[in-house]
């Protein structure tokens, strides 16, 4: 299976999964930096917001992976 044999839905799914994983990495770094702030109400809200953003990024990565796997099933799987 060459590069030109990939269906566009697979490329979309892989791209969405990569974007979701990158978002998780950036949000994890932001959470690490938020813990440097002295304990306060603002830090609590910031960590809660970052956790929500990380959950959304995880959802994007899961949906992208699911689309890729579904596209491979519809397309007949890998050919070798």
């Amino acid at each position: 299976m060459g590069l030109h044999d990939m269906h566009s839905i697979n490329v979309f799914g892989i791209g969405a999964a990569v974007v979701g994983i990158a978002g998780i990495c950036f949000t994890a770094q932001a959470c690490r930096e938020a813990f440097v702030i002295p304990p306060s109400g603002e830090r609590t809200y910031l960590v809660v917001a970052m956790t929500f953003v990380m959950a959304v990024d995880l959802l994007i990565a899961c949906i992208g992976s699911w689309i890729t796997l579904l596209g491979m099933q519809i397309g007949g799987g890998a050919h070798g």
Side-chain angles (χ1 to χ4, degrees):
M1 181 173 182
L3 178 63
H4 300 289
D5 294 335
M6 289 189 70
H7 299 282
S8 59
I9 192 74
N10 289 351
V11 176
F12 171 76
I14 292 168
V18 168
V19 166
I21 292 171
I24 291 170
C25 293
F26 285 124
T27 309
Q29 180 61 32
C31 281
R32 284 184 58 203
E33 292 176 7
F35 282 115
V36 174
I37 301 171
S40 65
E42 292 177 7
R43 181 178 108 172
T44 303
Y45 292 133
L46 183 64
V47 171
V48 168
M50 289 296 140
T51 305
F52 174 75
V53 170
M54 193 177 293
V56 171
D57 288 333
L58 182 63
L59 184 66
I60 291 170
C62 290
I63 290 173
S65 300
W66 182 73
I67 287 172
T68 302
L69 293 174
L70 185 64
M72 291 176 74
Q73 288 293 328
I74 292 172
H79 302 288

